[in-house]
Amino acid sequence: MKFFKNINIQYLITFFFLLLTANANFLSSSTIGWFIILFLMIMVGIIKRQFEKRDVMNFFWLSVGYLILVLFRFYVVNDLETDYLVSDIVFLVKFALLSFVFCAILKEEAIAYIVKVVTHLTILSFVFYALQLLAPEAMYKVFTAISFDTGNIIPGYSNFLLFTFTRGFHDYSNSGFVWEPGAFGCFLVITLMFHFFLNKFKFDSTAIILIVASITTFSTTNYLGLLVLLMLAYRYRVRKINLWILILIPVIVLIIVFVPFLGDKIIDTYKEDMRDLNHLKVLEKYYRHNRMQIPLNRFSSMWHIINSFGDKLILGVSNKYNDFLNKSYPVNISNGIFDFFAKFGIVGFAYLLYRYIRFCSPYVLSPINVIFCILILLGLSFGEPILFLPFILIFLFLRKSQTVIGFKEKQKQKEGGKLAGI
C-alpha cells in the first residue's frame, strides 16, 4: 500500500497524456487503449474530487457550441455521409475530453508537469538519438522486432513507445517520443514556452535541454518558432529596444537568408510544392505503385485544401475530411493550420486562438509580447498538423499556473506530508 501512496499520480497522468497525444505509438493508435487510459484518468479525478463545477460547465458549454457547429454544417452546409458526423462526435469524446480531464485533474499544475515530464522524455531521447547516429541499422532492427503495430505505413517507421526512428527518412534527426522530428520540435518549443512562463524567462538547465533538443530535430518550422520564442524571451527580460535588439533582428534575417535549411529551403519548398500540385496524376501513379499516399508539403497542402473546399473552410468540413480528399487523390496533408480549417473551420480556429491568447497574456505582460506568442503557434502549426492534438487543445481548458517556486513549494509540502506519515 505504501508503494501506491508514494506514486506521483500527477506525473503518471501527464506521462500517459503525452504518450496519447504524441500520435506515434501503439497506445495513441489503439482506440481501446486510448479509452482505457482516459477511463482510468476520469476515475482518478472522481476519487480525488478534482472535477469542479466551473471546469465541468466549461466543457459542457464548449461541447454545446461544438455540437451546434458540426450539426449545422452537416445538415445545412455540407452534403456528406453520416460517418463524417460520427467522426466529429467521436473527436469530442476522445480528443477534447482527454484534454479536459487532464486539465481538470492537474489544474494550475498542468503546464509545470508537462515541462517536467517532457524534459525527462527529452533527456531519454538523447540516449536513443546517440544510438540512432552510431548504430542506425542495429537500432532499427531492434525497434522493429520489439515494437507493437502503430498503424503507421511510412516505410522505415518504428516506435519503441518512448522514441521514434524512421530509417531512411530521418537518419540524422531526433523524433523523440513524437511521430517525427518536426512534430517533436513543436512539442519542445511549446514546452519551452511553458517553462519560460513559469520561471519568468530564465535560461536555466531545463531551458538549455529543451533548446539543444530542438536543434537536434533539424526542422525549419521548429527553428523559426524557436527564434521567435527567444526574441520573446529577450523582450520580456529587457523590455526596451536597445542596441542589442537592433543587432539581433538583422542577424536573424541573415540567418534565414543564408542558412540553407532555412531561407533556401522555404523558397525551394514552395516551388516544389507548386510543381507537385500541378502533377498529382503523375505522383498518384508512383505512390499508388509503392502503396503510399502522396506526401503534400506545407504550401501544396494549403492550396490543395483551399482548392478543394473553398468557402466551406469558414465552418469546416469534418474531422474526417481526408476521406473526401482521398476520393480524388490519396494525399497526406502536412499543414496544421489548414488541416484545422478543414476539420473545424476558421470559426473553430478563431476560438482556439482566443483561448490561447487568453492563457498566454498574463505571463507575457504586454500586447506586443502576445503577438510573439501568436507567431510561435502559427509558425509551428503551419508546418505540422498539431492543432487538433490534445497537447494543443489543452489551451481550451488550462488555468493560469503557479510560478515554479510555488510549484516546488507545493511538491515539498507533499513530500513532507508523506514522510510524516511513515
Side-chain angles (χ1 to χ4, degrees):
M1 292 299 292
K2 284 184 179 180
F3 172 76
F4 290 104
K5 287 181 181 179
N6 291 332
I7 291 176
N8 189 329
I9 295 296
Q10 289 92 334
Y11 188 97
L12 282 179
I13 288 173
T14 307
F15 175 76
F16 282 106
F17 169 77
L18 288 170
L19 289 186
L20 289 181
T21 194
N23 200 26
N25 52 71
F26 74 95
L27 290 176
S28 61
S29 61
S30 168
T31 301
I32 295 175
W34 186 296
F35 279 108
I36 288 174
I37 294 173
L38 180 57
F39 172 76
L40 292 174
M41 289 171 62
I42 292 172
M43 291 304 297
V44 170
I46 293 173
I47 293 170
K48 287 183 167 289
R49 298 181 180 179
Q50 294 294 92
F51 295 113
E52 297 178 10
K53 182 179 179 181
R54 65 167 175 166
D55 296 325
V56 175
M57 292 307 297
N58 182 19
F59 181 74
F60 172 78
W61 288 116
L62 182 138
S63 300
V64 169
Y66 176 79
L67 290 173
I68 290 172
L69 170 69
V70 298
L71 289 171
F72 177 79
R73 73 186 186 187
F74 179 78
Y75 287 108
V76 179
V77 180
N78 301 322
D79 183 21
L80 299 172
E81 293 85 0
T82 307
D83 288 350
Y84 290 89
L85 177 61
V86 172
S87 177
D88 289 339
I89 296 173
V90 169
F91 180 88
L92 176 66
V93 298
K94 185 178 179 181
F95 283 70
L97 181 59
L98 177 66
S99 301
F100 161 71
V101 170
F102 171 73
C103 293
I105 294 175
L106 273 80
K107 294 183 169 45
E108 292 85 358
E109 296 179 328
I111 68 171
Y113 270 103
I114 286 176
V115 171
K116 188 175 184 178
V117 178
V118 169
T119 302
H120 291 170
L121 290 171
T122 300
I123 293 171
L124 187 62
S125 80
F126 289 150
V127 178
F128 285 113
Y129 182 54
L131 293 173
Q132 174 184 316
L133 295 177
L134 295 173
E137 291 296 340
M139 183 176 177
Y140 176 68
K141 289 179 181 178
V142 172
F143 268 38
T144 52
I146 62 178
S147 62
F148 294 92
D149 180 33
T150 63
N152 195 312
I153 60 174
I154 296 175
Y157 183 88
S158 62
N159 175 272
F160 185 51
L161 193 61
L162 304 178
F163 191 80
T164 299
F165 176 41
T166 307
R167 187 75 179 98
F169 279 78
H170 305 301
D171 286 347
Y172 305 103
S173 302
N174 185 359
S175 296
F177 65 98
V178 192
W179 75 90
E180 65 105 25
F184 183 43
C186 294
F187 275 64
L188 291 170
V189 172
I190 295 294
T191 301
L192 179 60
M193 184 179 73
F194 285 158
H195 183 60
F196 279 154
F197 285 174
L198 293 171
N199 76 349
K200 297 184 179 179
F201 292 86
K202 295 175 184 176
F203 287 84
D204 55 15
S205 58
T206 298
I208 298 302
I209 289 169
L210 296 173
I211 291 171
V212 171
S214 297
I215 294 171
T216 64
T217 63
F218 294 102
S219 166
T220 307
T221 50
N222 172 40
Y223 283 2
L224 293 176
L226 182 60
L227 282 172
V228 176
L229 179 56
L230 294 178
M231 289 182 68
L232 171 60
Y234 180 86
R235 270 199 55 85
Y236 182 93
R237 292 175 64 85
V238 177
R239 301 183 189 178
K240 291 181 181 179
I241 296 178
N242 57 22
L243 178 62
W244 289 108
I245 195 65
L246 293 176
I247 294 173
L248 183 63
I249 292 173
V251 167
I252 291 174
V253 173
L254 289 173
I255 289 173
I256 294 173
V257 171
F258 291 107
V259 174
F261 56 80
L262 288 178
D264 289 349
K265 185 177 177 180
I266 293 171
I267 296 171
D268 292 342
T269 298
Y270 183 82
K271 291 179 180 178
E272 184 179 338
D273 284 3
M274 293 303 100
R275 286 196 300 269
D276 289 348
L277 203 58
N278 294 323
H279 296 87
L280 287 178
K281 279 189 177 180
V282 177
L283 291 172
E284 193 245 352
K285 291 180 181 178
Y286 171 79
Y287 284 102
R288 177 178 290 179
H289 177 73
N290 289 278
R291 297 180 180 180
M292 293 173 61
Q293 293 180 318
I294 303 171
L296 294 183
N297 219 313
R298 285 60 167 132
F299 298 105
S300 52
S301 293
M302 175 183 73
W303 285 113
H304 189 53
I305 288 174
I306 292 173
N307 294 336
S308 299
F309 300 121
D311 57 6
K312 288 185 178 181
L313 294 178
I314 296 172
L315 296 179
V317 179
S318 170
N319 174 58
K320 200 180 175 184
Y321 79 92
N322 285 70
D323 287 359
F324 183 84
L325 283 183
N326 290 340
K327 289 180 181 178
S328 302
Y329 298 102
V331 296
N332 191 318
I333 299 297
S334 62
N335 186 309
I337 294 176
F338 284 84
D339 169 75
F340 199 85
F341 286 174
K343 281 182 166 76
F344 313 111
I346 296 173
V347 171
F349 177 77
Y351 183 71
L352 175 63
L353 193 61
Y354 161 71
R355 298 291 298 202
Y356 172 76
I357 292 170
R358 185 179 174 183
F359 176 77
C360 294
S361 296
Y363 291 104
V364 296
L365 304 180
S366 76
I368 294 177
N369 290 346
V370 171
I371 293 174
F372 280 93
C373 293
I374 295 171
L375 291 176
I376 291 168
L377 185 65
L378 293 180
L380 295 176
S381 58
F382 187 84
E384 297 293 338
I386 60 168
L387 293 178
F388 74 98
L389 295 175
F391 184 70
I392 300 298
L393 295 180
I394 59 174
F395 288 109
L396 298 173
F397 309 106
L398 278 174
R399 294 185 184 181
K400 186 179 183 299
S401 296
Q402 300 167 332
T403 62
V404 162
I405 295 173
F407 176 68
K408 289 182 177 179
E409 286 178 350
K410 193 166 185 177
Q411 290 299 102
K412 287 180 181 178
Q413 289 174 3
K414 287 181 181 179
E415 292 171 4
K418 289 174 183 176
L419 290 172
I422 295 174

